[in-house]
Amino acid sequence: MKKKSFYLLTYGCQMNEYDSRLIAEILSKEGYKEVKDESKADIIVMNTCSVRKHAEQRVVGRTGDLQRLREDKPGLIIGLVGCMAQNLIDKGEKIKGVDFMVGPDNYEEIPRIIDGLDSLDSLAMVIKKEKTILYEGVYARQDNSVSAFVPVMRGCENFCTYCIVPYVRVGLQMRSSKDILNEVRGLLKKGIKEIILLGQSVNQYDDSKVDFPGILKMVSETSVSRLGFFTSHPYYTTQKLIDVIAEGENIYKWIHLPLQSGSNKILKKMNRKYTKERYMELISKTREKIPNISLTTDIIVGFPGETDEDFQETMEIMKEIQFDFAYMFKYSDRERTSAYNLKPKIPESVKAKRLAELIEIQHKIIRIKNEQLIGTIQEVLVEYKGRKNNGWRGKTKQNKIVVVEGKTLPGEIVKVKITGLNGWTPCGVIIDKGKNT
Ligand code: SAH
Ligand code: SF4
Ligand code: F3S
């Protein structure tokens, strides 16, 4: 029998991007063929996110749109996987137009489910919900020739009160350093230049023999050209980690350190386990050791009970720290989380106003920071050619995206002179081939 073709659609964070490649590996091993055009697929797998209401609404909308493909292809299978699928399974809910649902811990069952679908006409679900599993020895099928994610852990049990992740990715499991290094070595053999270690709270890594600074150092001692990690929790950020970043020649001088709020009252209600003073101290220590480090963050505005004064504290700390980049969100009420029961809720209009104010100031900061790069020479890892032939996209040692002109190839490290900004993206010209790896 002809094996079916599949198309993957990914929403959500880097962990979901990794997981989509894991699903690609699991299906390919069973003889299914990946296609890059959804209209050519026999199976569409939507890997979904639950972190904000909007993320779920987009998936519901897209599922509706995909139904038209069934007209030409009556046997089309549409599967919902990932965090939103797990959330629906747990709540006993379903959405229209989906043939199967599988959560993040049961991807190895997808081929079996698809095989069984011919004999079923109702929605198939994997109800079994185990603790997070590690998919030991199963490595994601990469489709990018330069960069790859490698998880060091799966699941989360920090229970920040706004966050649904610990409910849909239950428990915290550490991969063994052996399995991590095996995956890394396999990627390097295939020519991958950049590795980003992943975890919801990546610097909490500890497999009882190796801690996070330890595994970071071990990976940095391979032949990898560029090494980063994502997302760090401020609570687990230690001097030892800062030292390893400082010393690792191939480690990005960048740390993503979600602050979430500048108000101690709100941080406490969020269960973030640090105060703004402790966070500031961490920033000072990091900048002291690595003066040119790029700092990025996540902020939530409009958490239940956030007053104008609390929000002003967030504004102040943003001005003080001057982050190189920030992901900024309006609080989204998630059922099952403990903040869902907190009051008073902040009206949508107030959240929108606060977000706009925050974005305005942060965008100014980013522009100023990027302007400071004009005239400097940067070592850039070239990733791919931009659309419309407008230069190559690459990353500096601070993990900043730049657009460069000149002769090069994906995976090369080139020396670039930054000549200006396009929007706020620094642009430049290649002045030297630099170190080719
Ligand atoms: N584990 C990572 C990522 C979690 S999700 C971390 O700890 O940072 C990424 C970001 O989404 C979070 O940092 C937070 O800023 C935001 N987020 C999570 N839940 C949210 C919610 N209910 N409403 C709005 N933003 C949320
Ligand atoms: Fe969510 Fe907090 Fe875990 Fe991040 S650390 S995934 S914000 S519970
Ligand atoms: Fe990621 Fe969204 Fe799940 S942020 S872990 S895909 S809920």
Side-chain angles (χ1 to χ4, degrees), residues 330-350:
K330 283 187 285 186
Y331 169 76
S332 173
D333 221 8
R334 305 312 285 139
E335 239 181 280
R336 308 175 74 191
T337 66
S338 63
Y340 189 73
N341 302 315
L342 286 181
K343 288 188 177 73
K345 300 291 184 216
I346 307 303
E348 200 51 37
S349 59
V350 175

Side-chain angles (χ1 to χ4, degrees), residues 11-16 48-51 83 164-165 168-169 200:
Y11 297 85
C13 66
Q14 289 79 356
M15 192 58 90
N16 259 18
T48 60
C49 173
S50 220
V51 85
C83 299
I164 194 148
V165 175
V168 290
R169 292 176 177 266
Q200 297 301 340

Side-chain angles (χ1 to χ4, degrees), residues 9 38-39 41 44-46 58-80 94-100 123:
L9 199 59
E38 65 186 23
S39 67
I44 296 178
V45 181
M46 302 174 79
R58 275 175 65 206
V59 170
V60 174
R62 192 67 201 269
T63 313
D65 294 345
L66 288 176
Q67 301 309 313
R68 69 183 158 75
L69 295 173
R70 293 194 196 268
E71 288 163 20
D72 292 336
K73 210 174 248 180
L76 177 70
I77 296 168
I78 299 178
L80 200 72
K94 37 185 91 164
I95 57 171
K96 262 213 213 113
V98 164
D99 301 299
F100 70 87
L123 177 74

